[in-house]
Amino acid sequence: MKKNEIVEVEITDLSYEAMGVGHVNGETVFVNNALPGEVVKAQILKDKKSYAFARISEIVKESPDRVKVPLRQYVQTGLAGLASLAHLKYDKQLEFKQKQVKELLSKAHLDQIKVAETLPSPLETGYRNKAQVPVRMVKGQLEIGFFRRHSHDLVPLEDFFTNDPEIDRVLLAVRDILREKRIPAYDEEKHQGQVRYLEVRRGTATGDMMVVLVCLDRDFPGLHAVVDEIKEIAGVKSIFLNHNPKRTNVILGEHDYHLWGKRYIDDKIGDLTFEISPQSFFQINSLQTPHLYKLAIDQAGLTKDDLIVDAYSGIGTIGLSAAKYVKEVCGVEVIKAAVKDAKNNARLNQIHNAKYYVGKAEELMPKWAAEGLKTDVIFVDPPRKGLTKEFIDAAVKTGPKKVVYISCNPATLVRDMQLLMEAGYTTDLVSPVDMFPQTPHVESVTVLERTQID
Ligand code: SAH
């Protein structure tokens, strides 16, 4: 196949990245936005010998599961990175996520483990409590939007689809203030201009919003006039400047400077309040988070004598949610500021049986094990790369009756489950929870129970 060639292809599957999969003359073709059951004419974008990438030029036979995305720009601009499952009916998105876990288990010869139906999100769109959007000049005008996939071309947007609509309202209001005050957007090539990104966060339970201007300099002409106007936007309770002076793709710089209002915004998970600062990790789907944690905590079978570990604890949300059922919580998290937030959140909620430590889980856990720590239940919620063997070996040594695994990547979950099974733990169920509707991301909860006692 040659670049730009148009081929007719029947789509038979959906890849983990939500691309339609088909075959032409024995070669696999990944077609952006195509769905299983469809026949499409596809234009080849890239041919890599054994597989090719393509985009739809015409749908010959349409899937009954296709949703006409109201925001046609998403499809037209190839903005698939933002909401790349938005063209699939929601109930089919849930099935897709369940199937993904099933397939990964099956590949690992773990077909005996059941996969529950994916728990739907309370909101299918507009669920995100945080947005970080790039700011660039486009045709002489300051715009916010999204980078086209695999590029840094800004596609201007006004409706971000998965954001809380209140966040979109504030993003647009700040954009208009920056335009009016003639603040220059950052120019990557020249490494000049000012505003690189806008971050807006909203406490879903309180409605309070935080605006973070990610800028090249700490201060610049017009900044104070901009802040004076942003603080008048309804709902904005806190304004920060994040200083990012480097030539880098990383969104945030190291330092946040408080410009106005509160230093935190509050949100709730169940009956607990959490203070969120500009760089704290907080689950982005506030309404679904309590369901995720409940699933984990209910299945953990906690008792008042238990010592539990909250590993990869962020600002302490899981451990603090479980604290009232147990004797003691021991948390570990690598980011110092997050640990500070976790301690602060414990105090705020009058929780006195939770301790949080800064460190790498794979280093602290072996240290605790060597010191003879005995645990009852270990909660883990690692980033996409999952756990390490060192962590698992040490965790097992502390003798927990259960390991509760909250995973955002089913591939590493299955890999780690195998290690835990070799160490004498077992499970019969993985429960996917949809934290990220309209995207292919799969979150899940698995409780592994000890079967053998050495
Ligand atoms: N449990 C929290 C956070 C989960 S996100 C919640 O539900 O909100 C995963 C967290 O793991 C992040 O806060 C990240 O900073 C932290 N992390 C990443 N690598 C780590 C490591 N090696 N050791 C400890 N924490 C780590």
Side-chain angles (χ1 to χ4, degrees):
M1 282 177 283
K2 285 198 209 72
K3 191 171 168 173
N4 293 327
E5 188 183 336
I6 308 264
V7 293
E8 188 166 300
V9 49
E10 186 187 346
I11 306 298
T12 52
D13 204 357
L14 205 52
S15 78
Y16 294 158
E17 290 87 25
M19 308 266 263
V21 184
H23 297 275
V24 175
N25 305 331
E27 188 175 329
T28 306
V29 187
F30 294 98
V31 188
N32 217 350
N33 290 310
L35 293 174
E38 292 188 327
V39 176
V40 300
K41 290 196 171 144
Q43 182 187 17
I44 303 295
L45 299 175
K46 231 185 234 169
D47 190 1
K48 297 260 193 187
K49 294 244 162 66
S50 60
Y51 61 95
F53 290 105
R55 71 165 164 233
I56 297 177
S57 65
E58 187 192 327
I59 299 180
V60 179
K61 185 182 154 217
E62 191 178 271
S63 162
D65 300 330
R66 178 172 283 278
V67 175
K68 299 269 185 277
V69 180
L71 300 144
R72 290 184 52 212
Q73 48 182 329
Y74 286 99
V75 180
Q76 285 166 354
T77 58
L79 265 179
L82 190 60
S84 49
L85 268 186
H87 57 295
L88 181 61
K89 275 187 186 159
Y90 189 59
D91 59 331
K92 299 291 170 183
Q93 292 183 23
L94 298 173
E95 277 176 24
F96 164 73
K97 295 182 184 193
Q98 179 191 31
K99 182 168 163 252
Q100 221 184 97
V101 181
K102 273 190 188 163
E103 280 178 5
L104 287 161
L105 285 171
S106 180
K107 269 190 207 154
H109 309 289
L110 295 172
D111 305 78
Q112 77 280 10
I113 299 174
K114 279 208 193 105
V115 182
E117 284 182 14
T118 310
L119 188 72
S121 166
L123 291 175
E124 292 172 21
T125 62
Y127 58 86
R128 286 185 64 102
N129 61 23
K130 174 175 126 177
Q132 279 176 334
V133 304
V135 182
R136 292 293 182 271
M137 295 312 255
V138 179
K139 297 186 186 134
Q141 173 152 264
L142 183 141
E143 298 279 6
I144 58 173
F146 225 81
F147 290 135
R148 208 184 288 270
R149 238 191 195 181
H150 310 304
S151 91
H152 272 198
D153 297 338
L154 188 98
V155 181
L157 273 186
E158 299 207 327
D159 177 345
F160 288 81
F161 195 50
T162 52
N163 288 347
D164 181 332
E166 283 290 282
I167 290 182
D168 281 2
R169 175 177 65 78
V170 172
L171 284 171
L172 294 183
V174 175
R175 178 199 68 184
D176 292 346
I177 292 166
L178 295 173
R179 279 181 182 172
E180 188 200 309
K181 302 289 176 200
R182 307 206 161 277
I183 305 297
Y186 178 62
D187 179 326
E188 257 179 89
E189 262 168 39
K190 298 193 179 122
H191 193 54
Q192 63 188 34
Q194 274 308 336
V195 187
R196 302 170 71 127
Y197 280 85
L198 289 183
E199 174 175 310
V200 176
R201 311 184 80 155
R202 180 167 189 262
T204 305
T206 59
D208 290 354
M209 284 188 273
M210 172 184 280
V211 174
V212 183
L213 304 165
V214 183
C215 299
L216 188 64
D217 293 323
R218 255 191 82 168
D219 199 0
F220 50 88
L223 176 62
H224 295 281
V226 164
V227 171
D228 275 345
E229 299 225 350
I230 294 176
K231 68 190 190 198
E232 299 303 325
I233 302 170
V236 173
K237 294 288 160 64
S238 168
I239 308 174
F240 278 86
L241 180 144
N242 174 272
H243 183 207
N244 189 353
K246 293 192 184 147
R247 278 186 186 271
T248 171
N249 284 337
V250 178
I251 296 176
L252 295 178
E254 243 172 89
H255 296 288
D256 298 300
Y257 296 95
H258 179 235
L259 298 178
W260 176 80
K262 295 197 213 172
R263 287 174 180 276
Y264 297 94
I265 53 166
D266 293 335
D267 204 355
K268 288 195 151 204
I269 298 176
D271 50 8
L272 300 182
T273 300
F274 292 92
E275 287 188 342
I276 301 160
S277 51
Q279 303 217 20
S280 333
F281 178 93
F282 193 69
Q283 297 282 350
I284 57 118
N285 185 340
S286 300
L287 295 181
Q288 182 71 316
T289 302
H291 301 293
L292 175 74
Y293 289 180
K294 187 174 186 308
L295 205 63
I297 290 169
D298 283 356
Q299 294 181 79
L302 302 174
T303 76
K304 271 287 176 195
D305 299 321
D306 288 349
L307 185 151
I308 67 167
V309 169
D310 176 6
Y312 307 87
S313 53
I315 61 169
T317 41
I318 294 175
L320 297 178
S321 301
K324 64 177 170 216
Y325 307 112
V326 302
K327 189 159 128 210
E328 202 180 334
V329 180
C330 234
V332 49
E333 157 65 45
V334 75
I335 294 176
K336 210 168 154 187
V339 172
K340 195 171 153 218
D341 287 347
K343 289 178 179 169
N344 186 49
N345 287 323
R347 216 174 305 126
L348 192 72
N349 291 290
Q350 274 137 32
I351 293 170
H352 305 292
N353 59 341
K355 294 199 186 86
Y356 282 88
Y357 299 89
V358 183
K360 288 191 174 163
E362 64 275 21
E363 290 173 5
L364 262 193
M365 201 70 208
K367 192 167 155 258
W368 289 345
E371 286 166 6
L373 181 80
K374 290 287 163 234
T375 66
D376 297 291
V377 176
I378 297 183
F379 289 85
V380 296
D381 184 10
R384 291 185 58 79
K385 64 175 190 260
L387 304 173
T388 66
K389 178 125 184 11
E390 291 93 318
F391 177 89
I392 292 174
D393 289 345
V396 166
K397 238 188 225 163
T398 67
K401 56 182 188 264
K402 285 182 180 176
V403 176
V404 181
Y405 198 136
I406 299 174
S407 157
C408 58
N409 181 354
T412 53
L413 167 71
V414 170
R415 178 200 69 197
D416 294 341
M417 276 167 69
Q418 288 174 296
L419 290 174
L420 281 158
M421 291 167 97
E422 280 165 25
Y425 288 76
T426 177
T427 186
D428 53 12
L429 184 68
V430 178
S431 307
V433 176
D434 196 17
M435 295 295 281
F436 313 101
Q438 320 302 338
T439 81
H441 296 296
V442 185
E443 187 93 8
S444 62
V445 177
T446 307
V447 179
L448 292 117
E449 205 165 344
R450 190 179 57 199
T451 52
Q452 296 165 6
I453 301 165
D454 301 335

